[in-house]
């Protein structure tokens, strides 16, 4: 991938990771990119680096524009290693004592992470840096995605360098929204659901602040995926919608099964939900990655979870899914539990406790069937599904 000029003197010089399929537990079936941006002005600035192992692509791209030694200022918007892993190589290439701008928390985190005596400049929220014909403004964005995160905004070009926010795990030669088209929204939604959902209230506040400040944003350059230049408002509006977590008329039935009994229950419950006119999708946990499940959770109204009882507990894959889901703090959901069992049958109670811990509105009692469901058992599951579907409909009628 060659450097791409985004605006006069502003280049995308990062690296594409075509082959990554697991990003700390998130399935990245389309790979990702580690975006880095070069601004050539009276002072030349590099914003963010790449993951360790991708420095050659970065240095090669910079070298096609300018000798890396001519970079005057390094800006680190975020400490996480997919953006800072290349810092040691970059600092060595540009000069170890060139100024390294970051947030105050970034200074603390980078110092602890790298144990290097770099020439840090911890900036205040709103602080400006003149680099010649441009002014860069640093905007603190704590917890988007880490406590150190910040945006860098260039007023003259109307470019927001937004770190993780508005990103997508997507590798492609199409580097802009107008080149890739609407399909990118599915990747952006998955990214939001799995990386940012738990910070939804902060995102809403941030967007309100940005709107109140009347920043002119012509282009958004995130650190992953494509650049939003045709319609940056589209991804901002999507973030507002996703942050509000207003559910759609949709349910998912997430389950695992040992000998297909819980699976039969899942399908019967899904049928009952469907009969109430609610969109529904049964999802076998071992056929779907947890990050795909979380993307479905994002806009679902009802999360119905099924587990057989194993060793007096819930099935391990169900526990994994619920742990992951709970950490991301989905809001405004209806929850229901079900499962088959042989003799002790604790799983439904345990699943329900997890759903309650997420403050879901619980449909009680959960559905339990001993051994293999017969016709009457399946009919009771259809009825349970109808009850869930009616609860979803009543939410939509409110
Ligand atoms: Fe892409 Fe929070 O790092």
């Amino acid at each position: 991938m060659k450097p791409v000029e985004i605006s006069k003197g502003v280049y995308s010089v990062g690296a594409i990771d075509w082959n990554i399929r697991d990003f700390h537990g998130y399935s990245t079936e389309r790979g990702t990119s580690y975006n880095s941006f070069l601004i050539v002005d009276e002072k030349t600035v590099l914003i963010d680096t790449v993951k360790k192992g991708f420095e050659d692509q970065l240095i090669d791209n910079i070298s096609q524009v300018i000798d890396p030694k001519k970079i005057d200022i390094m800006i680190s918007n975020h400490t996480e290693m997919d953006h800072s892993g290349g810092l040691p190589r970059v600092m060595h290439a540009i000069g170890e004592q060139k100024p390294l701008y970051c947030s105050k928390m970034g200074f603390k985190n980078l110092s602890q992470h790298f144990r290097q005596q770099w020439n840090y400049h911890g900036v205040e929220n709103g602080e400006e840096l003149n680099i010649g014909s441009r002014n860069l403004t640093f905007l603190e964005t704590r917890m988007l995605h880490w406590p150190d995160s910040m945006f860098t905004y260039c007023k003259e070009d109307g470019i927001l360098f937004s770190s993780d926010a508005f990103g997508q795990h997507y590798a492609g030669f199409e580097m802009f929204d107008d080149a890739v088209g609407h399909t990118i929204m599915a990747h952006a939604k998955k990214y939001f659901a799995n990386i940012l959902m738990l910070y939804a209230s902060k995102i809403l506040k941030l967007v309100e602040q940005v709107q109140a400040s009347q920043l002119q944003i012509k282009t958004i350059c995130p650190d992953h995926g494509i650049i939003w230049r045709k319609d940056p408002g589209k991804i901002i509006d999507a973030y507002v919608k996703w942050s509000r977590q207003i559910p759609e008329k949709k349910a998912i039935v997430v389950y695992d099964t040992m000998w297909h009994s819980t699976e039969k229950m899942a399908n019967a419950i899904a049928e009952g939900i469907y009969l109430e006119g609610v969109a529904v999708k049964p999802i076998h946990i071992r056929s779907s990655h947890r990050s795909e499940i979380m993307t479905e959770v994002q806009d679902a109204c009802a999360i119905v979870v099924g587990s057989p009882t194993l060793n007096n507990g819930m099935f391990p894959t169900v526990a994994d899914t619920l742990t992951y889901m709970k950490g991301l703090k989905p809001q405004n959901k209806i929850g229901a539990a079900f499962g088959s069992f042989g003799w002790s049958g604790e799983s439904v109670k345990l699943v329900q406790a997890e759903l309650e811990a997420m403050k879901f509105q619980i449909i009680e009692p959960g559905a339990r069937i001993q051994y293999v469901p017969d016709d009457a058992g399946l009919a009771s599951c259809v009825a349970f599904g109808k009850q869930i579907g009616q609860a979803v409909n009543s939410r939509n009628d409110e």
Side-chain angles (χ1 to χ4, degrees):
M1 193 72 191
K2 291 185 184 313
V4 173
E5 194 165 27
I6 301 164
S7 178
K8 190 160 176 52
V10 181
Y11 301 85
S12 179
V13 290
I16 295 183
D17 187 348
W18 295 100
N19 299 319
I20 188 169
R21 292 293 176 269
D22 185 317
F23 187 96
H24 61 46
Y26 175 137
S27 67
T28 47
E29 69 281 357
R30 283 299 304 256
T32 194
S33 66
Y34 313 113
N35 298 343
S36 173
F37 301 99
L38 183 70
I39 307 176
V40 180
D41 206 305
E42 282 175 31
K43 288 187 175 159
T44 297
V45 173
L46 184 68
I47 301 177
D48 288 328
T49 71
V50 294
K51 186 177 163 184
K52 189 174 182 195
F54 291 82
E55 299 97 325
D56 286 349
Q57 275 192 57
L58 173 63
I59 301 279
D60 186 51
N61 281 341
I62 295 169
S63 302
Q64 290 182 50
V65 180
I66 196 169
D67 180 348
K69 288 193 183 63
K70 292 189 174 163
I71 292 174
D72 300 293
I73 295 166
M74 179 71 225
I75 295 173
S76 172
N77 275 339
H78 181 25
T79 307
E80 194 165 10
M81 286 71 84
D82 46 334
H83 311 295
S84 69
L87 265 180
R89 270 281 297 283
V90 166
M91 294 308 288
H92 185 68
I94 71 175
E96 298 283 354
Q97 284 310 305
K98 294 281 177 69
L100 169 50
Y101 283 73
C102 54
S103 67
K104 300 267 188 213
M105 191 62 85
F107 164 54
K108 195 173 161 196
N109 291 358
L110 288 170
S111 308
Q112 288 180 330
H113 189 81
F114 290 104
R115 316 275 176 202
Q116 295 276 343
Q117 301 297 314
W118 287 323
N119 181 13
Y120 290 106
H121 286 242
V123 299
E124 301 286 349
N125 183 34
E127 191 171 322
E128 290 200 355
L129 171 68
N130 179 267
I131 59 169
S133 68
R134 295 175 171 90
N135 291 290
L136 303 180
T137 308
F138 303 110
L139 304 166
E140 199 173 69
T141 58
R142 278 177 177 243
M143 303 316 298
L144 296 176
H145 160 230
W146 277 11
D148 55 85
S149 296
M150 67 175 191
F151 291 171
T152 299
Y153 172 66
C154 177
K155 184 167 54 183
E156 289 72 18
D157 295 285
I159 300 180
L160 185 69
F161 299 97
S162 64
S163 187
D164 278 336
F166 312 117
Q168 336 86 47
H169 283 310
Y170 180 84
F173 290 113
E174 321 89 334
M175 290 193 55
F176 297 96
D177 52 350
D178 46 291
V180 72
H182 188 72
T183 53
I184 199 64
M185 294 309 288
H187 299 280
K189 179 183 167 194
K190 180 175 177 182
Y191 188 92
F192 183 94
N194 285 277
I195 306 278
L196 298 173
M197 184 192 283
L198 74 162
Y199 307 121
S201 58
K202 288 182 189 299
I203 292 168
L204 264 182
K205 274 191 196 142
L206 178 71
V207 172
E208 281 165 13
Q209 279 169 9
V210 168
Q211 285 167 337
S213 69
Q214 297 186 320
L215 292 185
Q216 296 298 312
I217 299 174
K218 293 185 197 155
T219 307
I220 298 177
C221 293
D223 275 355
H224 297 289
I226 60 100
I227 292 162
W228 307 90
R229 72 175 176 189
K230 183 186 172 199
D231 188 5
K234 182 172 179 172
I235 188 66
I236 293 174
D237 290 348
Y239 264 49
V240 169
K241 179 183 163 203
W242 295 332
S243 300
R244 287 195 174 130
Q245 297 200 56
I246 298 168
E248 294 181 3
K249 194 171 158 182
K250 164 182 165 182
I252 56 172
V253 182
V254 183
Y255 68 96
D256 208 330
T257 192
M258 291 171 66
W259 295 104
H260 302 290
S261 292
T262 301
E263 183 171 51
K264 284 177 183 163
M265 295 179 72
N267 290 334
I269 291 168
E271 184 186 338
I273 295 170
Y274 172 76
L275 290 172
E276 291 297 325
V278 173
V280 60
K281 191 184 277 191
I283 304 174
H284 187 309
I285 288 174
R286 278 180 284 157
S287 301
S288 294
H289 194 274
R290 67 169 86 85
S291 50
E292 294 294 344
I293 295 171
M294 208 56 219
T295 310
E296 297 291 345
V297 168
Q298 166 71 39
D299 50 14
C301 181
I303 315 297
V304 188
V305 180
S307 173
T309 295
L310 177 71
N311 302 331
N312 304 109
M314 72 175 87
F315 206 68
T317 54
V318 179
D320 172 284
T321 301
L322 288 170
T323 299
Y324 186 66
M325 195 186 298
K326 190 157 72 173
L328 286 161
K329 296 186 168 57
Q331 305 287 314
N332 308 324
K333 307 294 184 194
I334 292 167
F338 68 96
S340 76
F341 65 100
W343 48 98
S344 56
E346 293 90 340
S347 67
V348 173
K349 196 171 83 180
L350 294 169
V351 167
Q352 187 168 310
E354 291 298 312
L355 300 175
E356 281 168 353
M358 288 185 263
K359 301 186 169 52
F360 290 2
Q361 173 197 333
I362 304 296
I363 306 296
E364 295 188 277
R368 299 168 78 243
I369 290 183
Q370 192 164 17
Y371 295 110
V372 179
D374 59 10
D375 288 346
L378 290 175
S380 73
C381 288
V382 173
F384 187 53
K386 284 185 164 188
Q387 197 185 343
I388 296 164
Q390 286 157 12
V392 171
N393 282 328
S394 68
R395 282 272 188 101
N396 277 270
D397 294 340
E398 282 170 6

